[in-house]
């Protein structure tokens, strides 16, 4: 069983009183008591450390030597996600953290709900909670809500446009792409990108690819695409290191 994890910035070795909110989380939510061990991580510096709770209330911990986080993103992946309604941004952001995206930009599109806004504090809390759960030691860079034009100007790497009618699949495209290649994934909102937006993406060099023989919901499309890209980076990295790939006998 993996030890529980909690975020803390700055992360320093030694004996320290813990912030009240963190102490409440460890004691009241995780039910830790003096003598219990856990892991602290600082996504700002991509570091982590083993820790022991010395006192419950107020919470005091002994933090061991700080080390580089064991798990972080394997490649530079930017997600350009059309702004969707409800809690879909939360779902997309959880997937982005757990599946290794390094940059996330929510894009206001022609089919986004008029007046929809994002709460940065809530989104950061979602990212921290996901990183705590999945073991990731860093966080994606979350850009402000943007127009498509501004997002394209800021994006870098191989542009990939998810299109259920595309001739080429994402898997086929990645077969000829190095696992270290930066990738920018463009995912439309409910109803997809408009024709004008699609043409702008194509003009910017984005290559249309499909994921499945079916039309996926926007939040599911983001999850599926990020999972394929993460698997490609992980498998190719293992292969380059001489480790067996999942398809090897």
């Amino acid at each position: 069983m993996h030890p529980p994890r909690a975020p803390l910035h700055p992360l320093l070795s030694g004996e320290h009183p813990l912030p009240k909110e963190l102490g409440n989380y460890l004691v009241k939510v995780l039910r830790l008591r003096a003598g219990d061990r856990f892991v602290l991580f600082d996504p700002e510096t991509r570091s982590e450390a083993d820790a022991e709770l010395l006192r419950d209330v107020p919470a005091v911990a002994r933090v061991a030597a700080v080390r580089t986080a064991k798990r972080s993103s394997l490649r530079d992946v930017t997600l350009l996600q059309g702004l969707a309604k409800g809690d879909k941004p939360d779902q997309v952001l959880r997937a982005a953290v757990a599946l290794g995206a390094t940059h996330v930009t929510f894009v206001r599109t022609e089919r986004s709900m008029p007046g929809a806004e994002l709460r940065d504090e809530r989104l950061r809390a979602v990212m921290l909670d996901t990183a705590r759960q999945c073991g990731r030691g860093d966080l994606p860079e979350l850009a402000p809500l943007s127009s498509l034009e501004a997002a394209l100007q800021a994006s870098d790497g191989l542009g990939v446009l998810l299109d259920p009618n595309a001739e080429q699949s994402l898997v086929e495209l990645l077969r000829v792409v190095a696992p270290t290649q930066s990738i920018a994934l463009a995912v439309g909102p409910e109803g997809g990108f408009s024709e004008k937006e699609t043409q702008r993406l194509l003009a910017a060099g984005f290559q249309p690819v499909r994921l499945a023989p079916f039309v996926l919901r926007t939040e599911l499309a983001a999850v599926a695409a990020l999972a394929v890209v993460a698997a490609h980076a992980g498998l190719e990295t293992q292969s380059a290191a001489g480790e067996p790939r999942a398809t090897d006998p």
Side-chain angles (χ1 to χ4, degrees):
M1 182 177 179
H2 296 292
R5 289 165 43 88
L8 178 64
H9 176 77
L11 180 58
L12 304 170
S13 60
E15 293 186 10
H16 306 287
L18 299 178
K20 183 177 180 180
E21 184 177 357
L22 175 57
N24 288 339
Y25 173 74
L26 294 173
V27 174
K28 296 183 179 180
V29 178
L30 297 184
R31 304 289 184 181
L32 298 188
R33 295 295 179 263
D36 288 341
R37 297 180 180 277
F38 57 101
V39 173
L40 290 170
F41 71 100
D42 183 354
E44 303 294 333
T45 58
R46 296 191 175 194
S47 59
E48 63 186 13
D50 296 320
E52 178 185 356
L53 193 63
L54 299 180
R55 188 169 62 193
D56 301 350
V57 182
V60 176
R62 178 186 295 118
V63 182
V66 178
R67 60 181 181 268
T68 301
K70 296 179 181 178
R71 299 177 183 175
S72 58
S73 53
L74 294 176
R75 78 191 313 167
D76 189 7
V77 179
T78 297
L79 175 63
L80 306 181
Q81 172 68 48
L83 181 61
K85 61 185 179 181
D87 66 347
K88 290 181 175 63
D90 289 9
Q91 297 178 44
V92 168
L93 205 51
R94 289 186 185 279
V97 174
L99 293 170
T102 53
H103 303 80
V104 178
T105 301
F106 286 99
V107 179
R108 193 184 298 282
T109 70
E110 292 182 17
R111 291 173 177 159
S112 296
M113 181 177 293
E117 297 293 340
L118 296 173
R119 295 168 52 194
D120 291 344
E121 289 186 5
R122 172 175 173 75
L123 294 180
R124 179 168 176 78
V126 167
M127 290 196 297
L128 280 173
D129 182 62
T130 305
R132 175 195 61 76
Q133 180 273 326
C134 73
R136 180 170 172 174
D138 61 342
L139 293 179
E141 179 182 335
L142 180 61
L145 182 59
S146 174
S147 67
L148 178 59
E149 191 62 36
L152 288 176
Q153 292 178 4
S155 65
D156 192 16
L158 174 65
V160 177
L161 168 62
L162 298 191
D163 180 352
N165 298 315
E167 295 183 2
Q168 186 180 34
S169 72
L170 179 56
V171 171
E172 291 170 335
L173 174 64
L174 291 178
R175 285 175 182 163
V176 295
V177 173
T180 55
Q181 169 70 55
S182 299
I183 292 180
L185 289 169
V187 183
E190 295 101 333
F193 290 113
S194 68
E195 180 62 25
K196 179 181 178 181
E197 290 166 339
T198 298
Q199 291 304 315
R200 180 65 187 93
L201 284 159
L202 295 176
F206 277 65
Q207 300 185 40
V209 297
R210 68 180 187 278
L211 285 169
F214 314 109
V215 177
L216 303 180
R217 297 172 67 93
T218 180
E219 68 275 21
L220 182 55
V223 172
L226 288 168
V228 171
V229 171
H232 172 260
L235 290 176
E236 293 300 327
T237 300
Q238 290 178 7
S239 179
E243 299 178 15
R245 297 177 60 166
T247 54
D248 290 341

